[in-house]
Amino acid sequence: MASIVRASRSRSGRAARRSARDSRAAARDAAAASRPRFRFADLVDETLAGVFARPARAALTTLGTVLGIASLVATLGISRTAGSQIVGRFDELAATQVTVAARTTGSGSAERAAALLPWDVESRIDRLNGVVASGAVAEVSNPGTVRTVPLRDPENVTERLVPVYASSVGLLDAVRGEISVGRWFDSGHVQRRDRVAVIGADVAAQFGIDRLDAQPGIFIGDELFTVIGILDAAARDEGLVSSIVVPYTSAQDRLQVSRPERVVIETDIGAAQLIAEQAPIALAPNGAEALKVTAPRDPTRTKNAVQDDVNQLFLLLGLISLVVGAIGIANVTLVTVMERTGEIGLRRALGASRRHIALQFLSESMAMGLVGGIIGATVGIITIVSVAGSRQWTPVLDLWLPLAAPLAGALVGLIAGLYPSIRAARMEPVDALRAGT
Amino acid sequence: MTAVDVDPTPVEAPERTPVVLLDQVCRVFPTEPPVEALRSIDLRVDPSEYVAIIGPSGSGKSTLLNVLGLLDRPTSGRYLLDGIDTADLGDAARAAERGRRIGFVFQSFHLLSYRTVEENVGLSELYLGTNRKDRRRRATEALDRVGLSHRLGFEPIRLSGGERQRVAIARALLGEPSLLLCDEPTGNLDTANTESVLDLFDDLREQGLTILVITHDSEVAERAQRRVRMVDGQLTEVA
């Protein structure tokens, strides 16, 4: 009997529960539909009012975030600036030059190595993929004085000591030389062992040579050479502009030059490393290791090394400050929540839901983080500019940095505000009202 | 001339929905031992009534007010506010109904010190989602109703106690609540200010507002049309 009663009661209880649940769900839906939204403009108002209610406290609270963001921005910006500075030195001219010379360390091996370098570098080097031009050059060791007329005139200084170089045909292109008057010698001159010379613009000025149609002659020591061209510029070897260059064959004949000292190669951009490996073998298959190759360093490696050196410590410091800043915001927001318990109760009584309360404190802590981020980014950028200014660098700033910094600050504030906001939202309105009186 | 045919039987006015209807409401606090703060309370408050609940402290007045204000849930029994069964409302829905239907007046005023009088009043409609301009206009009107339109931009700290309570009343009036719930509204006021607040309640009742005041001050209770005594969690009507 008792069990039947219990069974029927439990069945009716289930039915009642179900109907209650249905009606509850319906009521909830209706309430949700009619539930008004907390306007964004109002949230902004409440947030600003809340933050500026205690301006000194808000300012001190944001300080940690300001320091963190400022050091992050400054570190990233300064290392970027410094990195660009170093990269800037790897200009196109330096990055495409390879020089091969005899190694000068060992006493006997230097001559042996010099003996390895051939004059006909163009036929050996220009075949390599990535070579633009190449040329061999040797300084004439003791050319004697240079003069334009065979007479020694004591009143007019017509004799000078001028460096003289013997070179192969390709040198002009390899050093990016420019001829202003006349021409550079060609392979015909070399084969015929013609006594021709190209003089640098400085030398031409010294000797008063500006026209070549009269085929002016020049004496190097006692050997007469015909001037066929004036070299106006040589980007890779400025010294050539104040020198005289003659074909290596006639230098061999008349100026006691035997072997080239170095080979200058112009490469395509990015090919320098490869050519630096291949050129010695192409020049001297039997003694490549005795040759010294000068090539530009790999620019990306340099940049990375610099950034690694500068960055790590400061990035770490910045992150630590940011964490400290976040803890500061969390702490102060928590204290604020406790102080404003009565206000939370009041707001709940006035119709604020838990979500509204959480949203308000979250947006207050986020606002403090955002302001910290904006000030921090400003301080960081000022630091970058002043450091760059003091070192006479060009400040380089990634565009995303000043945009991302305030967002990072806001994120810090958001994370910092999570726990205090949840605490605030969890307060029972009755307790909050009672505690806040 | 034909006589106008008049229906002799007047139309029966439909029964008005009570603002508050408590049906066997209990509230037990699960302490050790459990405290029965409300014991089977039945209470009906009709629109435009002015009811005072009197009783000694610890009698359960505040618990009753919390239940009526949707700040607390009864352990058992039914509570219909404007005919809505409040048991069916979730937490957020209760908050919304609170904002819409109930105006609170507290003993300690609960004004935000960092906001102006006008902003404090406007706060009442903040969570109803009305726009700022309308809110300001209505806040001004509400302050006008309590005679404080000259204090709009003041900070609460610069007001007298009576003025502060009138600001709090203006805030409670905003949003046209069905019920004004007052918890010891004159507890922190001197005689003159008490008088002005009670006069204000009289005016508001005449304008049709339903007012429920909790007090242990008999002078305050005297001003209400109807008095209910609360002792040990039980209600008795006072003749």
Side-chain angles (χ1 to χ4, degrees):
Chain A
M1 185 68 183
S3 72
I4 293 166
V5 170
R6 203 176 307 129
S8 84
R9 192 187 293 152
S10 94
R11 198 175 312 123
S12 72
R14 250 201 314 274
R17 268 202 299 279
R18 195 179 314 122
S19 87
R21 197 164 54 231
D22 290 349
S23 82
R24 239 197 316 276
R28 206 162 36 234
D29 291 347
S34 69
R35 197 177 306 154
R37 282 187 48 219
F38 186 15
R39 285 164 176 260
F40 180 72
D42 289 337
L43 179 62
V44 171
D45 268 7
E46 293 302 307
T47 303
L48 291 181
V51 170
F52 283 108
R54 297 159 194 79
R57 178 191 288 187
L60 287 173
T61 309
T62 53
L63 212 56
T65 318
V66 169
L67 286 176
I69 294 285
S71 50
L72 281 180
V73 168
T75 306
L76 291 174
I78 288 171
S79 70
R80 182 89 170 81
T81 300
S84 315
Q85 229 52 44
I86 289 155
V87 171
R89 287 189 201 130
F90 285 91
D91 56 5
E92 189 258 346
L93 194 63
T96 55
Q97 175 174 332
V98 174
T99 311
V100 183
R103 213 179 270 279
T104 51
T105 44
S107 53
S109 64
E111 274 130 53
R112 194 163 56 88
L116 291 168
L117 279 180
W119 279 108
D120 57 338
V121 294
E122 292 85 350
S123 63
R124 294 165 185 260
I125 298 292
D126 289 3
R127 289 182 310 191
L128 299 177
N129 193 14
V131 170
V132 175
S134 65
V137 64
E139 186 168 7
V140 176
S141 54
N142 194 8
T145 55
V146 173
R147 60 187 191 278
T148 48
V149 286
L151 296 172
R152 291 171 201 268
D153 180 354
E155 284 173 22
N156 249 331
V157 184
T158 54
E159 289 187 7
R160 284 167 203 280
L161 282 169
V162 178
V164 177
Y165 289 94
S167 98
S168 63
V169 176
L171 184 72
L172 180 71
D173 289 337
V175 298
R176 293 204 187 166
E178 284 167 29
I179 298 289
S180 58
V181 184
R183 53 170 299 188
W184 184 254
F185 52 85
D186 59 24
S187 54
H189 292 115
V190 172
Q191 276 171 17
R192 289 190 301 271
R193 299 174 173 269
D194 284 343
R195 289 194 275 167
V196 292
V198 172
I199 62 174
D202 292 354
V203 180
Q206 281 168 2
F207 289 108
I209 298 170
D210 51 7
R211 295 170 56 198
L212 300 177
D213 40 5
Q215 295 196 320
I218 196 163
F219 285 89
I220 301 171
D222 290 327
E223 301 292 338
L224 176 63
F225 286 80
T226 307
V227 177
I228 58 167
I230 296 176
L231 183 68
D232 211 30
R236 291 200 196 283
D237 194 344
E238 300 287 351
L240 290 180
V241 178
S242 24
S243 310
I244 298 171
V245 185
V246 299
Y248 69 91
T249 45
S250 38
Q252 282 170 330
D253 291 352
R254 312 276 166 184
L255 300 171
Q256 289 83 45
V257 170
S258 56
R259 285 287 172 182
E261 290 168 353
R262 58 193 160 95
V263 175
V264 181
I265 305 168
E266 162 142 351
T267 71
D268 283 330
I269 291 172
Q273 306 294 319
L274 181 71
I275 300 303
E277 286 173 23
Q278 295 175 344
I281 299 164
L283 288 169
N286 295 326
E289 68 281 358
L291 298 177
K292 184 181 155 200
V293 182
T294 312
R297 287 175 67 193
D298 191 349
T300 52
R301 215 168 48 210
T302 315
K303 191 174 153 194
N304 288 344
V306 170
Q307 283 187 340
D308 282 352
D309 290 349
V310 180
N311 282 3
Q312 302 238 320
L313 184 69
F314 283 99
L315 279 182
L316 196 66
L317 279 175
L319 286 175
I320 290 171
S321 323
L322 217 53
V323 170
V324 171
I327 294 170
I329 293 182
N331 231 327
V332 172
T333 309
L334 199 59
V335 169
T336 307
V337 165
M338 294 308 153
E339 279 180 356
R340 286 160 72 181
T341 303
E343 179 183 334
I344 293 167
L346 172 76
R347 286 177 185 273
R348 297 278 278 134
L350 294 180
S353 65
R354 294 186 194 277
R355 205 171 53 88
H356 292 146
I357 298 294
L359 205 60
Q360 175 166 3
F361 284 99
L362 212 52
S363 70
E364 280 186 23
S365 70
M366 202 170 86
M368 285 196 278
L370 180 70
V371 170
I374 292 170
I375 298 174
T378 312
V379 171
I381 289 168
I382 291 171
T383 311
I384 295 169
V385 171
S386 29
V387 168
S390 71
R391 303 251 177 128
Q392 300 195 325
W393 287 346
T394 312
V396 178
L397 192 68
D398 287 318
L399 193 63
W400 61 267
L401 199 58
L403 299 175
L407 291 181
L411 188 69
V412 165
L414 190 73
I415 293 168
L418 275 178
Y419 174 67
S421 306
I422 291 170
R423 281 286 293 268
R426 283 205 180 142
M427 283 183 184
E428 284 303 325
V430 173
D431 301 335
L433 278 170
R434 196 185 303 128
T437 53
Chain B
M1 267 302 220
T2 53
V4 178
D5 200 20
V6 179
D7 191 351
T9 53
V11 178
E12 210 174 304
E15 199 188 340
R16 296 169 76 189
T17 312
V19 176
V20 168
L21 188 64
L22 294 180
D23 177 17
Q24 294 291 306
V25 164
C26 295
R27 178 67 172 103
V28 181
F29 290 105
T31 48
E32 196 57 50
V35 174
E36 284 186 83
L38 302 179
R39 302 169 190 232
S40 304
I41 303 278
D42 288 322
L43 178 69
R44 180 191 167 112
V45 179
D46 282 316
S48 307
E49 267 198 295
Y50 181 179
V51 182
I53 295 178
I54 47 177
S57 41
S59 59
K61 297 194 305 285
S62 294
T63 308
L64 179 63
L65 180 116
N66 290 339
V67 167
L68 290 174
L70 298 179
L71 296 169
D72 197 4
R73 285 170 184 272
T75 314
S76 64
R78 288 208 316 155
Y79 169 30
L80 285 97
L81 173 64
D82 282 343
I84 301 168
D85 191 342
T86 58
D88 294 343
L89 300 174
D91 205 58
R94 288 165 72 87
E97 293 305 326
R98 208 154 50 217
R100 199 174 294 140
R101 300 186 192 276
I102 294 172
F104 286 95
V105 177
F106 305 98
Q107 178 175 2
S108 54
F109 321 135
H110 276 298
L111 298 177
L112 302 186
S113 60
Y114 63 95
R115 309 298 284 271
T116 63
V117 163
E118 186 194 359
E119 285 170 340
N120 264 290
V121 173
L123 212 59
S124 188
E125 277 195 9
L126 183 67
Y127 302 101
L128 296 182
T130 56
N131 77 50
R132 218 182 310 189
K133 220 165 123 191
D134 291 348
R135 206 159 65 220
R136 287 188 69 154
R137 184 173 50 75
R138 276 196 291 271
T140 312
E141 284 168 8
L143 281 165
D144 201 31
R145 261 172 103 179
V146 300
L148 283 178
S149 51
H150 57 297
R151 293 279 194 254
L152 282 181
F154 277 52
E155 284 177 11
I157 198 108
R158 293 172 59 196
L159 303 181
S160 73
E163 284 178 322
R164 288 186 206 182
Q165 192 58 299
R166 284 193 290 168
V167 171
I169 293 168
R171 180 180 64 197
L173 292 177
L174 210 66
E176 304 299 327
S178 313
L179 177 65
L180 195 66
L181 267 184
C182 312
D183 186 5
E184 301 283 6
T186 58
N188 284 352
L189 301 181
D190 60 19
T191 323
N193 278 318
T194 299
E195 202 58 35
S196 80
V197 165
L198 293 178
D199 288 346
L200 182 59
F201 284 160
D202 286 344
D203 292 346
L204 293 173
R205 200 203 68 77
E206 274 167 32
Q207 290 164 29
L209 195 68
T210 314
I211 303 172
L212 197 147
V213 179
I214 281 184
T215 184
H216 57 253
D217 184 339
S218 54
E219 193 200 337
V220 175
E222 284 303 312
R223 301 282 287 260
Q225 298 170 303
R226 182 181 151 200
R227 281 167 295 284
V228 182
R229 180 174 297 280
M230 187 148 202
V231 180
D232 289 339
Q234 284 177 313
L235 274 186
T236 45
E237 292 279 339
V238 178

